[in-house]
Amino acid sequence: MAKPLLIFQIGTNNWQRQGEFAPGSGILHASFHQTMNSMDGVKCFSIYPSKVQTDPEDDDTFRVFKINHDIPICESVSPNSSYRWHSMDDKEYQAYLNRLESEICAFMDQVEAREGKEFDYLISHHAFTNAMTAAQIVERRHREGKTKLKHFNFVHGTALKMYIKEKEGDPEYPMRFLTKCQGSGVFSGVASTQGVWVNSEDYIGKFLDCFPQYPKQNCVFSRIGVNQKIFCPRGTEVARDLAKHLREEDRGKVANMKRLVTFVGKFADWKRLDAVLYAAKEYEATFPDLGTAIVGTGPPEAIAMYEGLSKSLGLQRTVFLGPKSQDVLAELFSMSEVGMFPSYKEPFGMVFIECMACGTPTIGANSGGPTEFVKPGQGVLVEEEADWRTEPGMKRLGSKVAAQVTKALQMNWKRSMGASCVDFVTTNFSTLAQVRGMLSNMEEWSCSSEVATCFRNFTGGSQISKQQLLQLLNKLLPGRSTTVCEQMLESSGALHCEAVDYQKFLAFLMQA
């Protein structure tokens, strides 16, 4: 019986378990892990950081990288941290990386001894510390004679935002980590990282701006998937099901609420909760039965600011629920008329997809990742405000959002679009489809890497003679006679002259 493909993932953020809420990248990592382990012929193991969680007692496929501080983040805030990498000194930073590398290698060694084979693929999340650590692990294992492992990186976006802020001279982000990452060579070519996925198409250009030596053909857009066992229409209702999620001081606000709109996001300025609150001021006056649920959290000063704005605007049916689990989010989305997420250049918009999976249309801003998938059949994107950081600009954005909420209720988007939202997610955004695509990418990139190595070993240059090509083909496609290989090459059209360049040969081999 063939041994399974072994995959290891290094997470940047915690998973949502043991009472600790998780940001989108942590949720996505967990989803990848679970999906891979549900597939035939694949076994996945993972590690992620947390100061709260402990190793599972009933699951040997993942471990917690224990830390005594909040999870370091690249920029902005996460649901449970505002501790930036830039606040670490070089000694702390290097100690973190060294310990991470050692714990991962020890975990991998234990798994390999139990499974009786080496790991095939290593996936690092975020184009930063995990990627550099993964490259070190590959190099370390190669020195130990374990040469099978290949590294791939999943770019989530926040590291790119940090690099861009460093390049732009933002005083809160002095030039430090972009040069470290560039100097490490992890993205100088495919030697350390065979392939890169980005979760938004426009991130390909941003990634290559930061790492111009990396080959564009090995950097692809991976469309985010959602777990539809969790995010699906739940049949929940405002009158019956909202109260159990409220704070005690908000229970009096729901007496007249029959309909709901929901915002989910961390309390960071670019999520633009301000616009949602200004919008609520307008539509509360128009719809006396409509309420607003705010799900999320942030630093104490941000919580105080947004709740203070709600009070100063005199909002009567706007409730702050704090962070909630995925199951609760699915309940809230299912009972809502629409989801409101007017973020500025949202990286990939997972919350949009989760909302649509529950049969609820969405309203967002016409920038970032959502522009790639939010169409008229699933909701609407309002035009941006150039000066949204000012109060007048934010109010104008809020008015645009309020106008779309009014339209959604008047035209009953929930009834007319709900089913198509679910179908759209099923067709285009399942986690299984995404993971299958990633496995296909890794196989292709790995083959490309092996061919390139053989090519260099055979020729030491950029071209190969017909005779060398036949020898190489015999090595890469064992079991075929020289005559068969010659026939394959002739019929493929790969040979038009005595010397064949590597890229033509690789393209032929991918089809062979």
Side-chain angles (χ1 to χ4, degrees):
M1 184 176 178
K3 293 182 182 295
L5 190 73
L6 286 191
I7 299 173
F8 196 98
Q9 294 189 74
I10 310 173
T12 300
N13 284 298
N14 61 285
W15 292 0
Q16 196 157 272
R17 59 184 286 267
Q18 295 185 333
E20 188 176 24
F21 296 98
S25 63
I27 291 170
L28 190 67
H29 174 197
S31 184
F32 286 170
H33 180 93
Q34 293 156 6
T35 300
M36 288 177 182
N37 281 319
S38 72
M39 301 172 72
D40 291 336
V42 180
K43 292 192 77 171
C44 181
F45 297 82
S46 290
I47 194 169
Y48 63 83
S50 176
K51 72 173 182 179
V52 175
Q53 297 182 33
T54 57
D55 289 340
E57 297 181 356
D58 57 351
D59 189 338
D60 63 0
T61 65
F62 71 92
R63 298 235 179 123
V64 175
F65 180 63
K66 290 293 292 183
I67 53 178
N68 58 10
H69 48 72
D70 286 346
I71 293 171
I73 58 176
C74 292
E75 59 88 46
S76 189
V77 295
S78 77
N80 49 12
S81 180
S82 56
Y83 180 54
R84 293 179 181 171
W85 286 103
H86 276 83
S87 66
M88 280 190 183
D89 62 31
D90 283 343
K91 184 177 180 181
E92 292 173 305
Y93 169 78
Q94 194 57 51
Y96 186 102
L97 267 63
N98 291 345
R99 186 166 69 89
L100 180 62
E101 177 185 332
S102 295
E103 290 196 19
I104 290 171
C105 286
F107 186 17
M108 293 178 81
D109 288 343
Q110 291 173 14
V111 172
E112 289 179 335
R114 187 169 66 242
E115 296 291 330
K117 66 164 292 187
E118 294 180 21
F119 274 95
D120 298 278
Y121 301 147
L122 176 60
I123 300 172
S124 60
H125 288 260
H126 287 81
F128 184 37
T129 48
N130 284 350
M132 289 187 281
T133 300
Q136 288 289 111
I137 290 170
V138 171
E139 184 178 334
R140 173 174 171 171
R141 290 170 69 80
H142 281 200
R143 290 197 301 268
E144 296 169 353
K146 297 180 177 181
T147 59
K148 190 175 186 180
L149 188 67
K150 293 178 176 60
H151 168 231
F152 309 88
N153 181 254
F154 197 101
V155 177
H156 291 268
T158 52
L160 289 186
K161 288 187 175 183
M162 178 182 72
Y163 296 149
I164 291 169
K165 287 178 183 291
E166 288 190 351
K167 288 172 68 176
E168 292 175 344
D170 189 315
E172 291 189 29
Y173 299 87
M175 180 57 74
R176 181 183 178 192
F177 292 121
L178 176 57
T179 53
K180 279 185 182 292
C181 199
Q182 290 172 333
S184 74
V186 63
F187 298 123
S188 295
V190 296
S192 296
T193 308
Q194 270 70 51
V196 170
W197 302 282
V198 297
N199 56 23
S200 179
E201 285 187 286
D202 68 338
Y203 279 178
I204 294 177
K206 292 177 180 178
F207 176 83
L208 295 174
D209 282 344
C210 293
F211 304 102
Q213 292 177 296
Y214 199 78
K216 186 176 181 179
Q217 67 269 22
N218 286 54
C219 186
V220 302
F221 170 49
S222 178
R223 192 174 293 281
I224 298 298
V226 66
N227 186 344
Q228 287 184 276
K229 292 181 179 179
I230 296 175
F231 291 100
C232 58
R234 299 290 189 96
T236 47
E237 299 176 1
V238 175
R240 186 186 68 213
D241 301 301
L242 179 60
K244 64 183 177 183
H245 303 304
L246 298 176
R247 300 179 301 188
E248 192 61 39
E249 63 265 32
D250 287 332
R251 294 189 181 278
K253 296 182 178 182
V254 301
N256 298 321
M257 286 170 53
K258 296 182 176 63
R259 295 183 289 183
L260 186 71
V261 294
T262 297
F263 165 90
V264 176
K266 54 191 176 184
F267 289 7
D269 65 342
W270 64 276
K271 289 289 187 180
R272 298 197 291 204
L273 176 52
D274 324 50
V276 172
L277 298 176
Y278 285 124
K281 175 69 174 177
E282 295 189 26
Y283 60 67
E284 278 194 5
T286 306
F287 302 100
D289 66 340
L290 181 62
T292 307
I294 308 296
V295 180
T297 190
E301 59 272 19
I303 296 173
M305 179 182 71
Y306 290 119
E307 293 201 23
L309 177 59
S310 177
K311 290 176 182 177
S312 68
L313 292 173
L315 300 182
Q316 300 299 306
R317 295 180 301 281
T318 297
V319 293
F320 287 78
L321 305 182
K324 295 296 180 184
S325 68
Q326 288 183 292
D327 277 318
V328 174
L329 291 185
E331 290 185 17
L332 292 168
F333 287 146
S334 294
M335 72 178 75
S336 297
E337 300 299 314
V338 72
M340 291 190 298
F341 320 113
S343 305
Y344 178 67
K345 295 188 178 179
E346 174 70 44
F348 57 90
M350 174 63 85
V351 70
F352 285 77
I353 300 167
E354 292 168 346
C355 185
M356 290 189 287
C358 297
T360 302
T362 58
I363 297 173
N366 193 21
S367 63
T371 62
E372 297 159 11
F373 62 84
V374 178
K375 308 301 179 186
Q378 295 84 48
V380 69
L381 299 178
V382 300
E383 289 305 317
E384 282 286 2
E385 282 290 333
D387 60 342
W388 63 269
R389 286 187 173 85
T390 68
E391 184 176 344
M394 192 65 78
K395 285 182 176 178
R396 286 194 298 273
L397 182 60
S399 290
K400 292 179 183 179
V401 172
Q404 294 301 328
V405 171
T406 298
K407 185 177 180 180
L409 269 64
Q410 289 176 341
M411 299 182 68
N412 201 345
W413 283 3
K414 178 82 168 187
R415 183 178 63 189
S416 63
M417 296 183 183
S420 68
C421 284
V422 176
D423 291 343
F424 178 75
V425 173
T426 301
T427 302
N428 299 284
F429 293 99
S430 73
T431 307
L432 181 59
Q434 183 181 16
V435 168
R436 282 175 174 165
M438 292 170 64
L439 290 172
S440 178
N441 291 149
M442 288 189 285
E443 182 180 4
E444 180 179 336
W445 287 329
S446 296
C447 180
S448 173
S449 175
E450 291 168 3
V451 171
T453 299
C454 286
F455 189 97
R456 286 192 299 270
N457 290 341
F458 263 85
T459 70
S462 61
Q463 288 195 322
I464 185 168
S465 69
K466 180 178 177 178
Q467 187 59 37
Q468 288 174 315
L469 187 60
L470 288 169
Q471 291 176 329
L472 182 52
L473 199 56
N474 277 317
K475 179 178 178 63
L476 294 170
L477 300 175
R480 292 171 171 84
S481 68
T482 300
T483 301
V484 170
C485 288
E486 284 182 329
Q487 292 173 347
M488 290 172 63
L489 288 173
E490 293 296 339
S491 63
S492 73
L495 292 176
H496 295 291
C497 56
E498 188 63 24
V500 178
D501 69 37
Y502 165 66
Q503 290 301 328
K504 284 184 179 180
F505 173 56
L506 179 58
F508 157 70
L509 195 65
M510 292 295 103
Q511 299 173 356

